[in-house]
Amino acid sequence: MTPRFRILSASALLCLTSPALAEVINISSNGFQIRHEVLLNIPSEEAYELLVNVSGWWNPSHTYTLNPKNLNIDARPGGCFCEKYPHGGGVQHMSVVHAAPGKALRMTGALGPMQAHGLAGSMSWDFIPQKPAEAGQPLSKLVLSYSVGGYMAGGFEKMAPMVNAMLGEQIARYKNFANTGKVD
């Protein structure tokens, strides 16, 4: 069994409300799994809507066009997490396979540079309502998990921590946007 690797993103450490859990759960010769958890000060239904409006919080440096306004998630089975190029064409980042507003969004696909390899991925965004004991406590928890498998020249030892850091940055921006209305 492969040992667990724990990597905390610097941006995740700066998040408000509570510390975020961010880790590479497993790296093997044929894939890896990542998990992130954050607490949100908005209800699960609102958190889901914020997620699918990805252009409001996604980091432009992790797009092909350097403009998150070109991103869109069509949150229905068969829908696309896509990016339009300004002069035609675009990129399908992932395909939606499960959309349950306020509860879960699941997509399949290999993100970014992983698309050039023989990889498949499954990403789940699960929203868990919280029961705050008093005012000001989190109203929901978001659990993001991403499993990637297949063949990649050179293996996954370098790729998994890079993907974990990128997703950690995205989830930190999402959490900040959900909790403060600002991505930074």
Side-chain angles (χ1 to χ4, degrees):
M1 177 129 179
T2 305
R4 291 171 59 126
F5 294 87
R6 199 172 278 273
I7 300 171
L8 293 176
S9 166
S11 59
L13 292 174
L14 297 174
C15 289
L16 303 173
T17 306
S18 70
L21 170 66
E23 67 181 319
V24 177
I25 293 175
N26 188 10
I27 301 174
S28 71
S29 61
N30 62 347
F32 63 90
Q33 183 180 16
I34 293 169
R35 180 181 171 98
H36 290 258
E37 292 182 16
V38 293
L39 294 173
L40 305 170
N41 296 332
I42 58 176
S44 296
E45 295 76 17
E46 192 177 328
Y48 179 92
E49 288 304 315
L50 188 68
L51 171 71
V52 299
N53 291 307
V54 65
S55 65
W57 56 269
W58 195 268
N59 187 331
S61 66
H62 295 291
T63 66
Y64 285 89
T65 61
L66 301 177
N67 185 349
K69 299 296 180 203
N70 293 324
L71 295 174
N72 180 61
I73 296 177
D74 182 4
R76 62 179 176 81
C80 183
F81 173 17
C82 287
E83 181 175 355
K84 291 187 243 176
Y85 287 139
H87 303 292
V91 178
Q92 178 177 322
H93 295 288
M94 304 187 101
S95 295
V96 175
V97 295
H98 178 94
K103 295 183 174 140
L105 182 68
R106 291 199 181 82
M107 300 182 281
T108 58
L111 291 171
M114 294 187 296
Q115 288 182 341
H117 302 276
L119 303 176
S122 177
M123 181 178 284
S124 295
W125 300 77
D126 293 300
F127 298 91
I128 303 160
Q130 303 294 291
K131 294 184 179 180
E134 54 190 66
Q137 291 187 328
L139 298 175
S140 60
K141 177 166 69 170
L142 170 61
V143 178
L144 167 63
S145 59
Y146 189 38
S147 298
V148 176
Y151 174 76
M152 182 170 188
F156 294 97
E157 292 294 324
K158 291 181 183 175
M159 183 58 73
M162 289 189 304
V163 172
N164 186 57
M166 183 278 295
L167 287 175
E169 178 183 358
Q170 301 306 332
I171 202 147
R173 290 172 62 89
Y174 170 83
K175 178 183 177 181
N176 284 342
F177 196 52
N179 290 345
T180 69
K182 299 176 184 176
V183 293
D184 297 320

